[in-house]
Amino acid sequence: MKIRSHKSKSQVIVYDADRVQEPGPTLFEPGYWERQGRVSGHATGRGRVLLLDTDFGPAVLRQYLRGGWPARLSREHYLFTGFIRSRPMAEFRMLAALTGAGLPVPEPLAALCDRRGMFYRGWLLTRRIMHVVPLADRLADCLSDPALWRRIGRVIRRFHDAGVVHADLNARNILLGPDDAIHLVDFDRARKSPENARAFAGNLMRLRRSLQKLWPAAERDRLDACWRDLLSGYGTAAELA
């Protein structure tokens, strides 16, 4: 990965020059891709998400949008405190570091921070991971697959061993792919905090709450067994079970 940046007075684009040959603000405009017939679908996730077919391969474009009460003021504007501290720049750097460490995440392609006075808007372009399904959409098929739950636990442990604290580890941010592949996505506001056992336990409990919310009602009795298998793969202390 060859990381480069393109700066103007009000915008900064950071990108992987090995893949993106002509960086520019049009890369982050949904209308640009729609006019070319390059939008292949939409995806759920934080913000506005488009699935793209680009000259540099399948990609995902996400605009950062606010939720909750801040969205009443503005869905797309964030307080500007510097380009380097903006959410798209931070997530690009995190994904670049995790990709370099060999962790299963989307490869970052480009990010844009567009300043508008005291505020900014942001976009992130990543390489699309093909043929994957969120764990949330496969729960009914995973109830009797202890090996899968152990693999999920091992993957989460790899991130924690690398000191990575995911900001929203839930069943939609764990992707299941062919050949037993498991990826984590959505590293907005993720941070490095090595050996932070409390934060890592918080990640696991956030995932547990997500599973409880989505678990098929008719199979509620299987949740504890699957969770024990996940913790077995993770290798965590028994008291977190």
Side-chain angles (χ1 to χ4, degrees):
M1 181 179 295
K2 187 185 299 181
I3 299 177
R4 297 288 185 269
S5 62
H6 176 74
K7 300 180 181 180
S8 68
K9 182 176 294 186
S10 62
Q11 294 182 336
V12 169
I13 297 173
V14 62
Y15 62 100
D16 178 6
D18 285 335
R19 296 191 181 277
V20 179
Q21 306 302 319
E22 298 181 8
T26 55
L27 288 178
F28 307 94
E29 296 176 5
Y32 167 78
W33 298 107
E34 290 167 354
R35 288 190 296 273
Q36 297 189 71
R38 296 292 190 93
V39 177
S40 59
H42 298 76
T44 59
R46 295 190 187 191
R48 185 178 298 141
V49 183
L50 297 181
L51 307 181
L52 307 176
D53 295 318
T54 76
D55 291 337
F56 40 85
V60 177
L61 176 64
R62 185 174 92 242
Q63 181 182 6
Y64 292 80
L65 295 178
R66 289 182 177 278
W69 69 264
R72 300 175 186 175
L73 301 176
S74 174
R75 287 212 70 199
E76 63 180 16
H77 290 94
Y78 295 81
L79 182 65
F80 182 80
T81 59
F83 287 110
I84 197 170
R85 288 188 292 275
S86 68
R87 292 167 79 150
M89 299 294 120
E91 188 168 0
F92 183 98
R93 291 194 306 273
M94 175 63 75
L95 289 176
L98 298 181
T99 298
L103 290 166
V105 299
E107 297 177 30
L109 296 171
L112 167 66
C113 178
D114 177 25
R115 182 180 182 182
R116 301 292 178 92
M118 295 176 57
F119 302 94
Y120 75 89
R121 300 181 302 164
W123 289 262
L124 179 70
L125 189 64
T126 58
R127 188 173 177 83
R128 183 180 175 188
I129 305 170
M130 301 299 290
H131 311 302
V132 292
V133 179
L135 173 62
D137 296 342
R138 286 277 310 277
L139 286 178
D141 303 326
C142 301
L143 303 180
S144 300
D145 191 349
L148 170 65
W149 292 101
R150 287 193 292 269
R151 289 198 304 273
I152 292 172
R154 285 194 293 271
V155 168
I156 295 171
R157 183 57 181 263
R158 288 178 62 193
F159 283 86
H160 288 174
D161 285 347
V164 180
V165 180
H166 197 288
D168 188 20
L169 186 61
N170 63 61
R172 295 205 172 277
N173 288 331
I174 298 174
L175 303 184
L176 309 181
D179 301 322
D180 298 334
I182 296 171
H183 294 80
L184 299 191
V185 297
D186 190 357
F187 284 83
D188 180 26
R189 298 185 296 113
R191 69 187 193 278
K192 285 288 192 75
S193 186
E195 301 182 10
N196 189 337
R198 183 175 181 178
F200 300 153
N203 271 182
L204 292 172
M205 291 302 98
R206 172 69 183 91
L207 176 57
R208 169 81 185 207
R209 291 192 299 271
S210 171
L211 292 172
Q212 288 173 329
K213 182 177 179 179
L214 297 169
W215 204 264
E219 302 289 348
R220 184 65 59 178
D221 60 330
R222 290 289 305 155
L223 175 57
D224 287 343
C226 292
W227 186 249
R228 285 194 296 269
D229 289 328
L230 184 149
L231 292 182
S232 174
Y234 182 89
T236 191
E239 59 265 22
L240 289 180

